[in-house]
């Protein structure tokens, strides 16, 4: 592990532009996004539906390519990676969590969690052992052999969280992880993510419009209409809440 030379910023985006063409019409989903994310941070990308959160998520995660601009992961320009390096990045360094869980329906919880390890070439007994450990960590030690359809939404998202940690990623990207969950279950998922962020030092970048995320985030990046509107440190937000709740209230 290159701890001594670890870069302060795990993710940097520079002038990211994404244009989609639909029916001959160009649509600018991102209009020049420059953002530096520190190692170990919990960042929420907050903004209304259609503001470009998922588009930015896909660029940072190497799931899609920007029209202009660059994404650096640990100071390496993603555009410079060849196909196998990009595959390695996606498989080993980044974990993904989606709103709709995206588990494989015919596989058990344990099989879903071990799959990324099998792809990474880890022997199956070792993968199983780690999968069990991860499922215990997310509170599903008694649901190892259940299939997604036999689990609640919150439990499915816990499986997805365990899966995202399978290969010890340095970055977790979560796109609306609480979007399909009720208030209480969403809160539990947020707390679990925060716990894993703190305990494992993994950087979490979550696209959301769930205001419950504000409490756990180190910084909130407000996105509107494909551009960063403002960036707030949690301390600033709590100060503001404090002001609002001041002696007058
Ligand atoms: N594959 C696509 N093709 C065309 N337009 C898209 C595509 N994906 C997203 N968009 C458009 O880009 C804008 C941003 O979308 P998105 O990043 O999904 O927003 P959010 O995740 O914040 O809801 C929206 O106007 C959306 O309609
Ligand atoms: Mg989205």
């Amino acid at each position: 592990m290159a701890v001594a030379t670890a870069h302060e910023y795990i993710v940097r985006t520079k002038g990211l532009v994404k244009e989609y063409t639909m029916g001959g019409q160009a649509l600018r989903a991102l209009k020049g996004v420059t953002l530096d994310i520190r190692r170990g941070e919990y960042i929420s990308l907050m903004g209304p539906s259609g503001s470009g959160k998922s588009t930015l998520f896909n660029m940072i995660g190497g799931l899609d390519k920007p029209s202009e601009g660059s994404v650096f992961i640990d100071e390496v320009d993603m555009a410079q990676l060849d196909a196998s390096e990009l595959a390695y990045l996606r498989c080993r360094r980044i974990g993904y969590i989606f709103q709709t869980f995206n588990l494989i329906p015919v596989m058990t919880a344990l099989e879903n969690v071990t799959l990324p390890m099998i792809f990474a070439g880890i022997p199956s007994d070792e993968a199983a052992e780690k999968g069990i450990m991860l499922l215990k960590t997310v509170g599903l030690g008694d649901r190892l052999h259940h299939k997604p359809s036999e689990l609640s939404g919150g439990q499915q998202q816990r499986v997805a969280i365990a899966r995202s940690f399978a290969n010890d990623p340095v970055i977790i990207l979560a796109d609306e992880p609480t979007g399909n969950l009720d208030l209480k279950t969403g809160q539990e998922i947020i707390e679990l993510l925060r716990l894993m962020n703190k305990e494992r030092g993994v950087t979490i970048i979550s696209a959301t419009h769930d205001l419950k995320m504000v409490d756990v985030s180190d910084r909130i990046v407000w996105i509107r209409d494909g551009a960063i509107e403002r960036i707030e440190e949690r301390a600033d937000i709590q100060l503001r809440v404090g002001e609002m709740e001041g002696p007058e209230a």
Side-chain angles (χ1 to χ4, degrees):
M1 249 174 73
V3 169
T5 58
H7 300 285
E8 179 180 6
Y9 294 110
I10 186 76
V11 176
R12 292 197 303 124
T13 75
K14 246 173 125 173
L16 273 192
V17 171
K18 181 64 181 181
E19 236 171 44
Y20 295 113
T21 318
M22 280 202 73
Q25 284 240 338
L27 183 150
R28 277 203 159 201
L30 294 180
K31 299 172 178 169
V33 171
T34 298
L35 176 63
D36 295 339
I37 297 173
R38 289 181 210 108
R39 193 177 288 280
E41 261 192 314
Y42 191 126
I43 292 267
S44 288
L45 306 173
M46 198 75 80
S49 179
S51 55
K53 301 182 299 295
S54 293
T55 303
L56 180 57
F57 175 102
N58 291 342
M59 304 295 130
I60 294 174
L63 303 173
D64 199 358
K65 289 195 163 68
S67 310
E68 287 169 38
S70 319
V71 177
F72 299 86
I73 303 290
D74 226 355
E75 301 301 338
V76 175
D77 185 350
M78 214 183 266
Q80 305 302 316
L81 302 179
D82 65 28
S84 71
E85 290 168 327
L86 195 58
Y88 183 90
L89 179 78
R90 290 197 201 113
C91 177
R92 307 293 292 256
R93 313 227 36 221
I94 303 179
Y96 305 87
I97 300 169
F98 299 94
Q99 176 172 356
T100 49
F101 324 131
N102 294 16
L103 300 174
I104 298 179
V106 296
M107 290 186 156
T108 65
L110 183 57
E111 287 165 346
N112 268 283
V113 175
T114 51
L115 192 63
M117 296 186 250
I118 303 300
F119 283 152
I122 293 170
S124 55
D125 50 343
E126 201 179 307
E129 197 177 313
K130 188 162 172 194
I132 293 168
M133 182 274 286
L134 282 166
L135 283 165
K136 283 183 179 164
T137 304
V138 300
L140 290 179
D142 55 352
R143 293 288 187 278
L144 302 176
H145 306 296
H146 284 57
K147 297 210 172 108
S149 61
E150 297 157 353
L151 297 167
S152 70
Q155 288 171 335
Q156 289 182 59
Q157 196 60 305
R158 284 170 187 273
V159 175
I161 291 172
R163 177 182 60 182
S164 75
F165 279 88
N167 290 324
D168 300 311
V170 286
I171 303 164
I172 295 280
L173 284 170
D175 195 357
E176 309 262 6
T178 60
N180 278 20
L181 304 174
D182 62 67
L183 214 74
K184 180 169 166 287
T185 311
Q187 186 71 42
E188 287 165 7
I189 290 298
I190 290 168
E191 276 160 20
L192 178 62
L193 283 173
R194 179 58 172 175
L195 188 75
M196 311 249 321
N197 160 253
K198 275 194 171 148
E199 281 186 350
R200 293 165 183 248
V202 59
T203 306
I204 297 192
I205 306 169
S206 179
T208 187
H209 50 240
D210 187 341
L211 287 170
K212 295 195 292 301
M213 285 279 190
V214 168
D215 291 340
V216 300
S217 307
D218 295 315
R219 285 193 297 159
I220 293 122
V221 178
W222 297 89
I223 299 189
R224 183 171 287 275
D225 225 356
I228 294 178
E229 194 177 41
R230 63 182 194 279
I231 300 178
E232 289 183 307
E233 304 270 344
R234 182 157 43 138
D236 299 339
I237 295 164
Q238 286 179 337
L239 204 69
R240 235 186 33 223
V241 172
E243 280 166 16
M244 289 190 297
E245 289 170 348
E248 242 76 330

